Amino acid sequence: MRISRAHRAAVFRSAAVLLTTGLTAVSLAAAPAFADPVTVTGLSTGDDGMLSVALPDGGQALWVKVSVRDPAQPDAPVLASTDEMSYSWEHGWTTDEPLRLPGGAGYGDYPVDVDYRLPGGTVQHWSGAEHGAAGLFGYRLHTGVAKVGFDRAYTDFDHRDATLSGSVTTFDPATGVTGPARAGTQVRIAWDSHRDGSWTDASQTVVTDESGAFALAVTPGGTFQNGTATVVAPEADTDPGVADAIPDLDVAKTRYRISAQADKERVYAGKTFKVTGTVQRFTPNGWVPFEGAPVVTTLRAPDTWNHTVTDVIGSGTAGADGTFSYDAKPNYTTSHFTYVRPSEYLADTADPFRDDVTVPRTGQITNLSASLDAYRTITVKGRLKPEWICTDQTVTLQYSKNGRDGWQSLASVKAEGGTSGYCPFTISTLGRPTGYYRLTHGESYTLLPVNSATFNRSRIETRIVSFDMTPNRPYRNASLTAKGTLQYKSGSTWKNYKGGTIVLVLKPKGDSNWYWVVKGKTDSAGRFSLKTKAYEDATWGAYLAADSKHFYSESRTEYVDAR
């Protein structure tokens, strides 16, 4: 409750009448006494030059008086005093008018004496000089921000700048007049801005002109919140006012929609494809072309929270009709996304255009192993290493006599199975006696042509000639001799093969199986002579039990009729 001087005077007049007539409605002696000592708990000077005193349960005080003394004089005379004070819960006892010191009093801090009386108590005295800085009255110019605001209610995609303006005033306790602050008064503008998914603190200091006005152009980049304007770096004769709150500056987000297409789904590395499309924005007049929209194509989906844009492969700006067209250059097979570059000024409602692009890469043929067996079958195992996984990838085994040209395709298989980047294959086919081989992968949708390293595999050709069974018509169980010559090929010449192991076999009449009978080595002339018996009517033959260097070979067959 704030008590006016007129009301307080009326109260004191009523008390005087009661004392004169002897009709005391309430005896002062009957008022309760304070058992505990009461003292001043706070002294403050307002920006309006008012002096406030805080007392415990101060609203019960009957009378409060403040006196400002001159500390420069030996007896510290009183320069000004008043008991015209009113009480409020927020400030305690406050002078009804700003305190004005006599002419010639300089700006500075002056000690204050406080006299007060509580119900049932005597007048108490509190000397501010005994309490240091806590007992001083600030007799200074009071400078503070009087008003501050923006020239617009919000920023948006097209209007990202705003101007903050305001004025600073100064109250002079010597004259009791409030007017424009000094030119050059510094005001610190501080605010929080929500941008790119996080809060950012920012501040800037401006100065006033001759009229006490200031202005600051800002580009918040997002919502401007919790702003304050505070007078800073005051001169020695000035007390700055408390910070003044700045109205928030919101962001009006733009809704948009986009349609796009890529003219190719497959391009070679280092080459481009073209992205075209149309982007529109929503306005009070409905959907209209989004002129100036910054469109990007990236390898990552848009980050509408942090607004980070990475892996950009193409970008452009929408024209007056909302259309855009630009080249995009991917480096590998992946998905790509086309959208308006995210910002605080765009609503997160538009779905990006998404498509896939294939960039065929050169694979690798690795982990090769190859063997040429005695029966002329070459078996090659390996792995095709693509960029991701194997899908319908074919490898082919090729042969060349000299390993340089004249390559002939022998067989092809699919490289499949395995895991990402690992696709095994096995090729088995009829090989050649000597020469070079390689694996090749022709261009596919996802891979470029690639050849393996060239490798050589060979064996020595052999043959059995002059095979003969004697006698031709032996008696059953009579002695039978198999003879012949084993040869190997050296260049274009056949030579006798010494030390080869010859196995004699027979197939009994009416049987489809061959049976091993006896074996032996060839002599220095490559000849062999193997003794056996004419067990029954049968077809006889011989073959070379080939080693790791020679091909397997067979003789002609001969039928022997055992009598």
Side-chain angles (χ1 to χ4, degrees), residues 463-474 479-486 502-505 518 526-533 538-543 554-561:
R463 67 181 182 180
I464 298 174
V465 297
S466 304
F467 178 73
D468 184 49
M469 299 294 296
T470 58
N472 291 328
R473 290 181 54 81
S479 177
L480 193 62
T481 300
K483 293 183 179 181
T485 301
L486 177 64
I502 299 297
V503 180
L504 184 64
V505 293
V518 67
R527 295 186 296 267
F528 60 87
S529 179
L530 302 176
K531 301 292 185 180
T532 185
K533 292 181 179 181
T539 300
W540 293 82
Y543 67 86
E554 298 177 355
S555 70
R556 69 177 181 85
T557 61
E558 184 175 342
Y559 183 79
V560 175
D561 184 8

Side-chain angles (χ1 to χ4, degrees), residues 34 204 253 330 365 383 536 555:
F34 281 76
Q204 192 166 342
K253 293 182 179 292
I365 299 176
R383 297 178 183 176
E536 57 187 312
S555 70

Side-chain angles (χ1 to χ4, degrees), residues 448-461:
L448 297 174
V450 62
N451 296 323
S452 73
T454 300
F455 56 91
N456 173 263
R457 293 293 184 273
S458 63
R459 279 180 178 257
I460 301 172
E461 291 186 271

Side-chain angles (χ1 to χ4, degrees), residues 417-453:
T419 59
S420 176
Y422 162 27
C423 302
F425 60 85
T426 300
I427 297 180
S428 292
T429 189
L430 184 64
R432 302 292 186 267
T434 185
Y436 297 85
Y437 300 86
R438 72 179 183 186
L439 275 300
T440 183
H441 173 274
E443 182 167 344
S444 67
Y445 193 76
T446 57
L447 291 179
L448 297 174
V450 62
N451 296 323
S452 73

Side-chain angles (χ1 to χ4, degrees), residues 298-363:
T298 67
L299 302 183
R300 295 181 182 272
D303 183 348
T304 55
W305 178 253
N306 296 310
H307 302 157
T308 55
V309 178
T310 58
D311 295 333
V312 178
I313 61 174
S315 63
T317 302
D321 59 354
T323 62
F324 56 87
S325 177
Y326 53 83
D327 291 333
K329 182 185 291 185
N331 293 319
Y332 52 87
T333 299
T334 186
S335 299
H336 58 86
F337 305 83
T338 299
Y339 50 94
V340 178
R341 185 181 292 269
S343 76
E344 292 286 342
Y345 304 101
L346 295 177
D348 303 333
T349 56
D351 293 326
F353 163 73
R354 181 187 182 280
D355 202 356
D356 297 321
V357 62
T358 297
V359 181
R361 303 294 294 272
T362 301

Side-chain angles (χ1 to χ4, degrees), residues 25-267:
V26 178
S27 173
L28 293 178
F34 281 76
D36 296 325
V38 176
T39 186
V40 173
T41 59
L43 195 70
S44 62
T45 306
D47 292 337
D48 53 4
M50 305 290 193
L51 179 62
S52 297
V53 178
L55 297 168
D57 296 325
Q60 300 185 36
L62 302 176
W63 173 75
V64 179
K65 177 185 178 182
V66 293
S67 301
V68 179
R69 293 184 177 275
D70 185 357
Q73 302 298 324
D75 55 350
V78 174
L79 298 176
S81 65
T82 183
D83 62 355
E84 295 185 1
M85 304 181 71
S86 302
Y87 178 78
S88 69
W89 287 105
E90 294 82 4
H91 306 292
W93 288 93
T94 303
T95 59
D96 292 340
E97 300 291 339
L99 288 178
R100 184 180 301 178
L101 302 186
Y107 297 118
D109 294 320
Y110 293 83
V112 177
D113 288 349
V114 180
D115 296 292
Y116 58 94
R117 183 163 63 84
L118 302 176
T122 60
V123 174
Q124 304 293 315
H125 180 77
W126 183 85
S127 175
E130 298 175 358
H131 294 82
L136 300 177
F137 166 59
Y139 189 68
R140 287 187 173 84
L141 299 173
H142 295 280
T143 299
V145 177
K147 62 179 181 179
V148 63
F150 287 104
D151 63 339
R152 59 186 319 111
Y154 55 82
T155 58
D156 56 32
F157 186 87
D158 301 303
H159 309 92
R160 305 190 183 195
D161 300 326
T163 300
L164 178 71
S165 59
S167 61
V168 180
T169 58
T170 295
F171 170 73
D172 187 348
T175 63
V177 175
T178 298
R182 293 187 181 107
T185 298
Q186 299 185 46
V187 181
R188 181 177 182 269
I189 309 299
W191 69 92
D192 296 332
S193 178
H194 186 269
R195 58 193 302 178
D196 300 333
S198 62
W199 286 99
T200 302
D201 297 332
S203 65
Q204 192 166 342
T205 299
V206 296
V207 296
T208 60
D209 60 17
E210 292 78 3
S211 67
F214 64 86
L216 174 65
V218 295
T219 306
T223 303
F224 185 115
Q225 291 186 350
N226 305 319
T228 58
T230 312
V231 174
V232 294
E235 297 186 22
D237 61 356
T238 302
D239 278 337
V242 296
D244 196 56
I246 298 174
D248 291 345
L249 185 65
D250 293 328
V251 171
K253 293 182 179 292
T254 297
R255 291 178 57 200
Y256 79 93
R257 62 187 183 186
I258 188 170
S259 62
Q261 62 182 5
D263 69 337
K264 297 176 184 176
E265 294 182 351
R266 181 178 185 268
V267 297

